Amino acid sequence: MKIIASNFKTNHTRRSTQEFCTTLESFLNTQKNPNKITIFPPTTALLDNTFKHFSIGAQNAYFTQCGSFTGEIGLEQLHEFQIQSLLIGHSERREILGESQEFCAQKFAYFARQDFEIFYCIGESLETKNKGLDSTLVFLESQLKGIALDYPKLIIAYEPIWAIGSGISATLEEITQIHTRLKQKLGKIPLLYGGSVKPQNVSEILSLDGVDGVLVGSASWEIQSFCKILENSF
Ligand code: PGA
């Protein structure tokens, strides 16, 4: 079994998410799908997490039941949709929204206490990558600070920033090198790769040792493309 996750980011409306999910459910009804699939729509398009073949997760939430956190949603809003999965630490939230490691760790601790499945992202910039493997690994470890690696519902996604949205994924050698080293630290925690995964490369990426799944952005936003990704990962 592999884990295939789709991150819609700031794409799709509620209506188009509904259409996407209905089509996906029909597609998966006709397939023998051995994989675990999670869709992360934008917050305004969260749907009841009641599909048979995949789960709906949230791209973001604040570490609170409810309260005064303008612009955020908390546990109460997620529970309304029976959402039990959350993305934390995506590079766009770290870099653009300024989420610090401490903030990610606080979010993690809260939602781990709530028994959420947590897709926790790490990934280095091109500048860090260019400093070499050792610096990259030190950086990636710093992004795990404060994260309880023995949490049973933790999934880690390695997403090098330089490969995200660029259309050019890390090479198979690069993925293998980092995943092998990360696995030494992470043990049995499922480790996904993300960064320009698409129908054409998903199968070879998933066949690598140490890759337990993929987190897909742009190539998952069109339902046909996402179904191709799934077909190529069966
Ligand atoms: P991408 O995005 O597939 O468009 O590179 C991946 C991600 O940011 O999760």
Side-chain angles (χ1 to χ4, degrees):
M1 185 205 72
K2 299 286 184 181
I3 299 169
I4 316 284
S6 158
N7 176 9
F8 279 12
K9 307 190 181 185
T10 319
N11 299 284
H12 277 290
T13 60
R14 186 165 192 78
R15 181 175 299 174
S16 68
T17 300
Q18 188 93 57
E19 279 166 15
F20 181 104
C21 289
T22 307
T23 309
L24 181 59
E25 187 85 318
S26 313
F27 170 75
L28 291 169
N29 265 330
T30 66
Q31 305 278 334
K32 267 209 162 53
N33 165 50
N35 296 324
K36 170 181 158 51
I37 302 166
T38 306
I39 307 294
F40 293 93
T43 302
T44 56
L46 287 177
L47 303 175
D48 284 333
N49 183 29
T50 49
F51 292 93
K52 192 158 148 226
H53 301 291
F54 58 93
S55 306
I56 301 285
Q59 291 178 26
N60 182 43
Y62 193 75
F63 38 94
T64 188
Q65 165 85 21
C66 55
S68 299
F69 305 97
T70 301
E72 296 291 304
I73 60 167
L75 192 62
E76 194 171 292
Q77 287 73 31
L78 295 175
H79 275 167
E80 184 177 16
F81 297 97
Q82 299 107 60
I83 303 280
Q84 282 295 335
S85 303
L86 181 65
L87 267 183
I88 297 180
H90 191 281
S91 59
E92 286 152 15
R93 294 209 63 85
R94 292 181 190 262
E95 301 282 310
I96 304 170
L97 282 305
E99 291 192 4
S100 66
Q101 183 54 32
E102 198 188 348
F103 186 85
C104 292
Q106 274 177 295
K107 220 190 251 198
F108 172 86
Y110 179 82
F111 284 100
R113 278 201 303 280
Q114 307 303 329
D115 204 32
F116 267 58
E117 176 178 67
I118 296 173
F119 287 69
Y120 185 83
C121 305
I122 58 175
E124 82 285 3
S125 66
L126 189 56
E127 196 189 346
T128 302
K129 171 187 159 52
N130 288 340
K131 288 186 188 148
L133 182 60
D134 287 342
S135 299
T136 300
L137 289 165
V138 167
F139 178 80
L140 294 176
E141 284 211 17
S142 76
Q143 293 194 312
L144 294 169
K145 190 163 176 253
I147 305 303
L149 297 180
D150 57 353
Y151 179 57
K153 293 190 179 172
L154 173 61
I155 294 165
I156 294 184
Y158 167 60
E159 298 203 301
I161 297 174
W162 44 271
I164 292 179
S166 66
I168 301 168
S169 74
T171 64
L172 300 180
E173 292 71 32
E174 285 167 333
I175 299 172
T176 303
Q177 191 178 45
I178 297 285
H179 274 238
T180 305
R181 296 292 291 270
L182 284 175
K183 278 278 181 187
Q184 286 165 5
K185 180 175 170 69
L186 301 176
K188 287 199 169 65
I189 302 172
L191 183 58
L192 316 186
Y193 167 77
S196 297
V197 175
K198 45 195 168 190
Q200 300 88 320
N201 62 15
V202 66
S203 152
E204 52 189 13
I205 291 173
L206 286 175
S207 70
L208 298 174
D209 276 348
V211 176
D212 301 304
V214 286
L215 177 53
V216 192
S218 35
S220 69
W221 301 337
E222 295 266 345
I223 184 68
Q224 286 82 1
S225 171
F226 189 54
C227 288
K228 278 247 147 45
I229 287 175
L230 294 175
E231 268 170 357
N232 294 348
S233 53
F234 290 159

